[in-house]
Amino acid sequence: AGADAHRQVCAHVVGGDGWQMVGDGSRRVYGFGFAPAQGVDEQVMTNGLAAAQFPAPTFTFREGDEVWLALTNVGMIFRPDLFDQHSVHWHGFPQASAIFDGVPQGSATVQMGSTFTYYYKVNDAGTYLWHCHVEATEHMEMGMIGMLNVLPRQDNTAYTDASVGKAFTKFAYNDGDGSTGYDKAFSLQLGAVDSNFHELHELVQPLPFLELKGDFAQINGRGYPMTTFENQADMSKADNSPSLSQQLHSVVRASVGERVLLRVTNGSVDSYFTLTGLGLPMKVVGRGAQIARGPSGAATTVHPSSQSTQSGGP
């Protein structure tokens, strides 16, 4: 294998609350979210207050990694009436130990002011989600969800995709033939915010779960035109924009002849989306940890308007 298959990785996040802009940046809504932990000991608590990010930070691991992920629950500074627990659920992780799965019925959850460390032995390359599984519909709608990517052992070895006659050293899966090779990769988390639900939450009112319906679609936690701001300096110039809470743009840039891998997830609890790359040849190369193979053994080509995970090519 070209990549080191025995890395030991430590990460630390906080769970709390904060604010984000929706639509064109003209409206601010309250939300829950995760953020990277800052500092040590009691600094983690104080620095984590009101620091929620939308979406949650993206994790990237390698197949074979041993991962220790600590979660500190810093509480809801803007809703002091709440004492919600939080957890981490790695959605789609196939070998999760029950104690580390994050589902409250069979797993540990994290009380306010406490920290719990999850352990994962990363066995399968692919594209995943991670989210809070406590009162899951509410906490995911409020923003506690992000992407998690696992790079395959095959990375850093050379395979030539015979269909295009080009060698690659980065891959979506352990394909053995270069068919999922790519030049550049981009993560896109689709989602939608129900602004009424968030407003009622802020006002400490009953929450209308049966009426959940996203009215502000987002990519990587932003709506247009904020999706196009590639620099945080530009983001901070947007009217009333909390630039520190929405740090991910969704601009995809590539050169002619490059192959692009799109890692796409849907973080919404009530909305479906289609993703279109107008005029680009695209093909599905997998879902979650599973590589997609057609009758010939190669990934299946689809119409350019279909939802896909890989586009472009020489």
Side-chain angles (χ1 to χ4, degrees), residues 60 69 114 131 209 214 232 239-240 245 251 298-299 302:
T60 300
L69 172 60
S114 299
H131 63 84
F209 285 94
Q232 282 302 103
D239 292 341
N240 302 315
S245 71
V251 177
V302 298

Side-chain angles (χ1 to χ4, degrees), residues 196-209:
N196 179 59
F197 189 93
H198 288 246
E199 182 177 4
L200 291 175
H201 214 303
E202 177 190 354
L203 298 175
V204 197
Q205 297 299 308
L207 300 176
F209 285 94

Side-chain angles (χ1 to χ4, degrees), residues 58-70:
T58 297
F59 286 122
T60 300
F61 302 130
R62 297 177 187 168
E63 183 183 354
D65 283 352
E66 287 189 279
V67 176
W68 285 264
L69 172 60

Side-chain angles (χ1 to χ4, degrees), residues 267-314:
S268 173
V269 298
D270 60 76
S271 300
Y272 293 95
F273 303 94
T274 58
L275 185 69
T276 301
L278 293 175
L280 294 177
M282 305 180 74
K283 62 183 179 181
V284 175
V285 297
R287 177 182 179 184
Q290 301 299 316
I291 188 171
R293 294 291 197 185
S296 66
T300 305
T301 301
V302 298
H303 190 274
S305 64
S306 300
Q307 183 173 341
S308 305
T309 56
Q310 194 180 71
S311 67

Side-chain angles (χ1 to χ4, degrees), residues 222 228-237 243 247 249:
R222 299 183 186 180
T228 66
F229 297 160
E230 296 182 65
N231 301 313
Q232 282 302 103
D234 296 330
M235 182 69 177
S236 64
K237 295 175 185 177
S243 59
Q247 299 192 13
H249 65 78

